[in-house]
Amino acid sequence: MDDQGALPPHVLIFPLPFQGPVNSTLKLAELLSLSGLHITFLLTDFIHTRLLRHTNINSRLETYPGFRLESISDGLPEDHPRSSDLFMELFDSMKAVTKPLLKEYILTSRRPVTCIIADGILGFTCDVANEIGIPIFYCRTMSACCLWVSFCLPKLIEAGELPFKGDDLDTPITSVPGMEGFLRRRDLPTFCRSGDLNDPSIQLFKTEIQELPRAHGLILNTMEHLEGPVLSHIRVHCPNLYTIGPVHAQLKSKLGGMTTPSSTSSSNGLWKEDRSCITWLDSQPSKSVIYISFGSLAVITNDQRMEFWHGVVNSGTRFLWVIRPDSIAGGDPGSNIPVELSLATEERGYIVGWAPQEEVLAHAAIGGFLTHSGWNSTLESLTEGVPMICWPYFLDQHVNSRFVGEVWKLGLDMKDQCVRDVVEKMVKDLMEVRKGDFIRVADEMGKLAKKSMGKGGLSYYNLDRLIKDIALINVRPSHG
Ligand SMILES: O=c1ccn([C@@H]2O[C@H](COP(=O)(O)OP(=O)(O)O[C@H]3O[C@H](CO)[C@@H](O)[C@H](O)[C@H]3O)[C@@H](O)[C@H]2O)c(=O)[nH]1
Ligand SMILES: C[C@H]1CC[C@@H]2C(C(=O)O)=CO[C@@H](O)[C@@H]21
C-alpha cells in the first residue's frame, strides 16, 4: 500500500448519471481537486462515453493532479435511452447491478478511498460505504425547496393532502412548514398528480429522502440567502449541511486567474455544443435576446413547440432557442414549418441543438431566459442576473418555478400553460413591459450569489469547511 502519510485524501465521487447532476457534481469534484484532494470521479459507462464524444473532458481534467475519470456499468443495455420517462428503470438497474460493482471497485482500488461523495437519491451507496467501513457524504443536486417538499411527503399523506381529492390544482398545500402561504397542489412535483400513492416516483422520493441523515453530511448546490428558511427545516434532519452553491460560479471564480485548459471550455455536455450561437449573440443589441432551453430531459410535443414558436415570434423579441435532438416527442417532423415562422426566425432568431449555456447566460445580449426551471439552469440564470419565464416539465421544476415567480420575484411562472397568446404576453412582460423591475431584482440576486462564493461568503466558507472535514478523516485501510 502507498505511504498514505505522503498522499492527500482520496475521495471517490459518484454522481447520479443524468446531465444535471453530473454537471454540478463534476464542478464540485474540480473544486475539491483544486484544494489538493485526490479525486476519482466515477461515471456510468453510458455517460462517460457521451462526455468523451462531445467534450474535451479528458484533456481538461488531466490538468488536475491526482484526478481520475472512471466508469462502471449502470446495468442497462447500451441502447437503452435512459430518458426521463424511463428513469425508474435506471434506478432499479443501478440498485441491482451497480451496487456490487461499486463495492468491488472500491475494495480493489489501487489507492485506498478516504471517503465517498455520492448522490443522496442512491441510498445503496450508504450500504456500500458502511459495509466497507468508510465515511460517506451525500450530495443532492436539486433545490433545497424541493428537497424539503420530499421530506414532507409522509406528512402530506398523513394530513390527507396526498393523494389529491378532486381536481382543483390551485388548492393550497398546508403540510409543508415554511411554504404554507404560497404552495399549491400544482407546485408539487408532478408525480403527486398521479393519484396513486404507490406511484414508483413517490415511493422513490419518499424512501430515499429518509436515507439522507445516514450520511456524515449533506452537500447542497444552493446558497443560505436564497433558501435559508427552507434550509433551517432540513437541518433538523441533516444537521451537518454544506451549502456551497452556485458550484458552477465558485469553480469559475476559482479558475478565473488560472491559465490551465480547464479555464477554457468547461463543457460537461452530453451533446456537442454549437458555438455559432455565441457569434450570433455578438451581433445582437444588449439584453435584447430571450434564451430558450428546457434542459437535458424535458420532451415537448410538436404542438407545444409550435405554440412556443408562434408566441415568441409574435412577441417580436429576438430569440436563441435550444431544441435538443431528442426533445420533440415522436421526433422532429422537420418540414412544413409555417412560412411566417421561418421568415421571422431568419430575421431575429437562432436555433441550435445544444448551447454553451453558462456562456450564453453571461452574454450581454441576453435579457431573459424561458426555462424549464431545472436547478442548474435556475442557479446559472440568477447568478448572471437574468430574469426567467418558467415552464416546468417535471420533478423539482414545479417547486422551483413557484419560488422564482412568487418568492424570489425573479420572473414569471407559466406553469401548466402552453398557448401562443400567453407565451407572447409573458415574453413581452419580461423583455419590455416589466423589464426594469425584473432586471433590478435579478441583478441584486446575482450580486448576492457572487458575494456568497467570494472570500467571507457563506458558500465559500462551507466549501472550505467540507474540504477541512475530509482532510480530518484518518485513512483507515478500507481493505487488504
Ligand atoms: O443547451 C444547453 C442546455 C443546457 N445545458 C446545461 O445543462 C444543464 C441542465 O441542468 P438543469 O437545468 O438542472 O436541467 P436538467 O438537465 O433537466 O436537470 C435534471 O437534474 C436537475 C438537478 O441536477 C434537476 O433540477 C432537474 O429538474 C432535472 O431535470 C445546465 O447546467 C445547463 O447549463 C447546456 O450546457 N446547454
Ligand atoms: C431523472 C431524475 C430523477 C431524480 C433525479 C433528480 C434528483 O436530484 O433526485 C433530479 O432530476 C434528475 O436529475 C433525476
Side-chain angles (χ1 to χ4, degrees):
M1 181 186 293
D2 299 306
D3 167 8
Q4 286 306 308
L7 288 171
H10 174 211
V11 184
L12 177 88
I13 301 183
F14 188 59
L16 183 68
F18 290 102
Q19 175 73 82
V22 165
N23 240 12
S24 50
T25 312
L26 185 48
K27 292 177 189 297
L28 167 63
E30 292 182 63
L31 283 164
L32 295 179
S33 181
L34 285 173
S35 76
L37 296 174
H38 280 192
I39 304 294
T40 294
F41 196 75
L42 188 60
L43 291 163
T44 56
D45 300 331
F46 175 78
I47 297 288
H48 190 210
T49 305
R50 293 278 295 271
L51 283 175
L52 292 178
R53 186 181 308 147
H54 298 306
T55 72
N56 66 347
I57 192 160
N58 266 348
S59 56
R60 182 157 64 82
L61 296 177
E62 69 192 10
T63 65
Y64 291 101
F67 197 112
R68 287 191 311 179
L69 192 62
E70 302 274 332
S71 68
I72 52 175
S73 169
D74 60 15
L76 290 173
E78 201 172 312
D79 61 352
H80 188 290
R82 284 97 170 157
S83 49
S84 52
D85 56 324
L86 300 173
F87 74 78
M88 283 308 298
E89 292 181 10
L90 178 65
F91 280 95
D92 294 341
S93 176
M94 289 185 76
K95 210 167 196 172
V97 175
T98 308
K99 178 179 178 180
L101 291 177
L102 175 66
K103 182 173 181 178
E104 181 60 21
Y105 181 92
I106 297 170
L107 288 173
T108 57
S109 169
R110 187 174 55 77
R111 278 209 56 206
V113 172
T114 308
C115 68
I116 298 170
I117 295 178
D119 195 296
I121 200 167
L122 301 173
F124 67 77
T125 54
C126 198
D127 300 337
V128 169
N130 292 345
E131 288 160 19
I132 294 175
I134 51 177
I136 183 168
F137 294 80
Y138 272 150
C139 67
R140 285 305 298 270
T141 61
M142 63 163 56
S143 58
C145 48
C146 187
L147 216 50
W148 179 232
V149 169
S150 306
F151 267 108
C152 294
L153 287 173
K155 282 168 64 80
L156 285 163
I157 294 168
E158 193 185 321
E161 293 198 289
L162 263 189
F164 298 161
K165 296 179 182 64
D167 55 8
D168 179 4
L169 289 179
D170 288 317
T171 303
I173 291 295
T174 59
S175 304
V176 180
M179 301 190 194
E180 297 88 346
F182 55 87
L183 199 68
R184 307 159 300 178
R185 285 176 172 177
R186 70 170 72 250
D187 305 315
L188 293 174
T190 38
F191 53 64
C192 293
R193 302 184 187 188
S194 71
D196 172 12
L197 290 185
N198 295 316
D199 176 289
S201 301
I202 291 185
Q203 291 304 317
L204 172 78
F205 275 73
K206 194 160 69 73
T207 311
E208 296 297 349
I209 203 81
Q210 315 305 332
E211 295 285 314
L212 292 184
R214 292 175 67 193
H216 189 78
L218 176 61
I219 304 162
L220 294 181
N221 183 19
T222 189
M223 299 168 272
E224 292 293 336
H225 75 263
L226 185 69
E227 298 195 275
V230 166
L231 291 165
S232 57
H233 289 292
I234 294 175
R235 275 195 180 86
V236 172
H237 302 265
C238 303
N240 190 21
L241 209 46
Y242 302 92
T243 49
I244 63 168
V247 285
H248 77 284
Q250 277 244 49
L251 179 62
K252 194 173 167 184
S253 164
K254 285 201 166 48
L255 287 176
M258 300 175 78
T259 53
T260 58
S262 38
S263 50
T264 55
S265 164
S266 63
S267 166
N268 303 326
L270 301 183
W271 292 268
K272 182 158 183 53
E273 289 177 354
D274 180 344
R275 294 193 55 81
S276 66
C277 62
I278 298 295
T279 307
W280 181 80
L281 285 175
D282 289 343
S283 60
Q284 308 307 319
S286 173
K287 296 196 184 301
S288 67
V289 176
I290 188 160
Y291 171 57
I292 306 166
S293 168
F294 299 123
S296 70
L297 291 170
V299 174
I300 63 175
T301 64
N302 193 48
D303 288 348
Q304 287 173 324
R305 178 176 65 149
M306 286 299 144
E307 290 306 307
F308 282 119
W309 205 344
H310 280 288
V312 172
V313 162
N314 296 344
S315 76
T317 305
R318 292 176 172 83
F319 62 94
L320 166 59
W321 191 349
V322 174
I323 301 186
R324 217 183 58 238
D326 60 339
S327 66
I328 307 295
D332 184 346
S335 57
N336 67 23
I337 302 293
V339 67
E340 71 271 21
L341 293 185
S342 303
L343 290 175
T345 303
E346 190 63 33
E347 181 199 331
R348 58 179 184 274
Y350 203 83
I351 297 176
V352 293
W354 196 249
Q357 179 163 303
E358 286 181 44
E359 208 173 324
V360 165
L361 288 169
H363 197 287
I366 298 296
F369 183 10
L370 171 49
T371 173
H372 68 312
S373 293
W375 190 237
N376 294 293
S377 292
T378 302
L379 286 178
E380 290 157 11
S381 194
L382 69 84
T383 302
E384 298 302 337
V386 175
M388 292 167 263
I389 297 172
C390 305
W391 187 77
Y393 175 72
F394 77 151
L395 293 175
D396 59 319
Q397 297 154 23
H398 286 66
V399 183
N400 299 345
S401 58
R402 185 59 170 169
F403 271 75
V404 166
E406 192 65 24
V407 180
W408 302 323
K409 306 293 185 190
L410 291 170
L412 299 165
D413 187 357
M414 189 165 59
K415 180 176 293 121
D416 292 329
Q417 305 174 81
C418 186
V419 286
R420 61 190 71 180
D421 297 350
V422 173
V423 173
E424 178 187 349
K425 182 181 183 317
M426 284 203 168
V427 170
K428 281 179 175 172
D429 275 355
L430 192 87
M431 299 295 284
E432 294 167 33
V433 179
R434 300 169 61 189
K435 179 173 187 170
D437 296 343
F438 286 124
I439 291 279
R440 204 172 4 266
V441 175
D443 203 41
E444 196 48 43
M445 183 62 84
K447 287 182 182 134
L448 284 169
K450 289 186 170 71
K451 192 170 168 229
S452 74
M453 69 201 164
K455 211 160 187 138
L458 277 173
S459 291
Y460 183 101
Y461 166 79
N462 283 317
L463 176 63
D464 192 49
R465 183 169 64 88
L466 171 63
I467 291 162
K468 288 191 169 84
D469 288 352
I470 291 171
L472 284 174
I473 298 168
N474 297 320
V475 175
R476 292 188 300 280
S478 57
H479 49 81

